[in-house]
Amino acid sequence: MKSATEHEPALAMPIPSPPPLVIGIGSPHGDDRAGWEVVERLMAMDLGCSPVCLQKAAVPHEALDWFDPRTPTHVVDALACQSDCLLRFELTRGPQGQLQTLLTEQGERRQSVEFPALRSHSTHQFDLRSVLELAAALNALPHRIVLWGIPIAINCTPQDTLDRHICHAVQRIAQEFSHA
């Protein structure tokens, strides 16, 4: 029989996982606004998350300020390619710690692909791949990271096509938020 001063050990409460984070990379100009536009539209929706979960970055290295290994993270950026559909990539770590990219199609079919050429290179900033490699080296890379590539044509993407891709990205990300 236990005395009145003895207590049952408290059950460990599971630590809830942080809400997903969405980082839109871009600017307010032209096709490059795609990442920011996705974040702005998600902000206008009731996703049941803190506004801190939706961030806009002018340059890829700003994402380092928000990365947390425990937080599932979505990064949205314009992708210079000839595609007529939104592209979804899952980033994983290989056996030697290197970044691996899987293209995920809507039918959940996955295939390994080269890391996509997101954003242009610059002598004044890291490109997105360099930022992700640095985050991995610092053990700050989110355990789950999804890259959303909004295809834009080199010469110019028609406005209705860009809007369609942005709407599709918003719908898909909102759907993943609801299942998180």
Side-chain angles (χ1 to χ4, degrees), residues 36-49 51 54 170 174:
W36 281 16
E37 183 70 25
V38 168
V39 168
E40 287 172 3
R41 291 184 188 189
L42 287 168
M43 285 177 175
M45 298 173 73
D46 181 18
L47 296 174
C49 67
L54 303 166
V170 169

Side-chain angles (χ1 to χ4, degrees), residues 90-172:
E90 291 181 42
L91 193 65
T92 61
R93 307 259 315 253
Q96 282 77 40
Q98 77 278 18
L99 298 179
Q100 295 180 321
T101 311
L102 298 173
L103 175 62
T104 306
E105 310 236 354
Q106 284 191 2
E108 292 304 312
R109 185 172 62 101
R110 296 175 180 183
Q111 67 187 54
S112 185
V113 294
E114 288 290 319
F115 192 90
L118 298 167
R119 305 270 293 162
S120 61
H121 295 276
S122 168
T123 58
H124 301 289
Q125 67 191 29
F126 288 106
D127 63 5
L128 184 55
R129 181 184 186 115
S130 298
V131 167
L132 294 169
E133 288 171 342
L134 178 59
L138 297 171
N139 289 322
L141 189 69
H143 73 281
R144 179 166 185 268
I145 190 160
V146 177
L147 305 176
W148 296 91
I150 297 181
I152 58 169
I154 304 296
N155 48 6
C156 186
T157 302
Q159 187 62 44
D160 62 328
T161 301
L162 182 62
D163 284 341
R164 180 172 46 87
H165 292 316
I166 290 170
C167 284
H168 193 203
V170 169
Q171 291 169 349
R172 297 272 313 269

Side-chain angles (χ1 to χ4, degrees), residues 10-107:
L11 294 176
M13 295 295 291
I15 299 171
S17 59
L21 167 67
V22 178
I23 300 170
I25 300 173
S27 76
H29 307 290
D31 294 344
D32 197 35
R33 70 181 171 81
W36 281 16
E37 183 70 25
V38 168
V39 168
E40 287 172 3
R41 291 184 188 189
L42 287 168
M43 285 177 175
M45 298 173 73
D46 181 18
L47 296 174
C49 67
S50 160
V52 129
C53 295
L54 303 166
Q55 298 288 344
K56 295 192 306 188
V59 291
H61 71 266
E62 287 181 324
L64 289 170
D65 292 336
W66 304 306
F67 281 166
D68 179 333
R70 299 168 299 145
T71 304
T73 302
H74 299 263
V75 177
V76 186
D77 199 3
L79 175 64
C81 73
Q82 297 299 323
S83 177
D84 62 346
C85 63
L86 174 69
L87 299 171
R88 182 185 186 278
F89 302 93
E90 291 181 42
L91 193 65
T92 61
R93 307 259 315 253
Q96 282 77 40
Q98 77 278 18
L99 298 179
Q100 295 180 321
T101 311
L102 298 173
L103 175 62
T104 306
E105 310 236 354
Q106 284 191 2

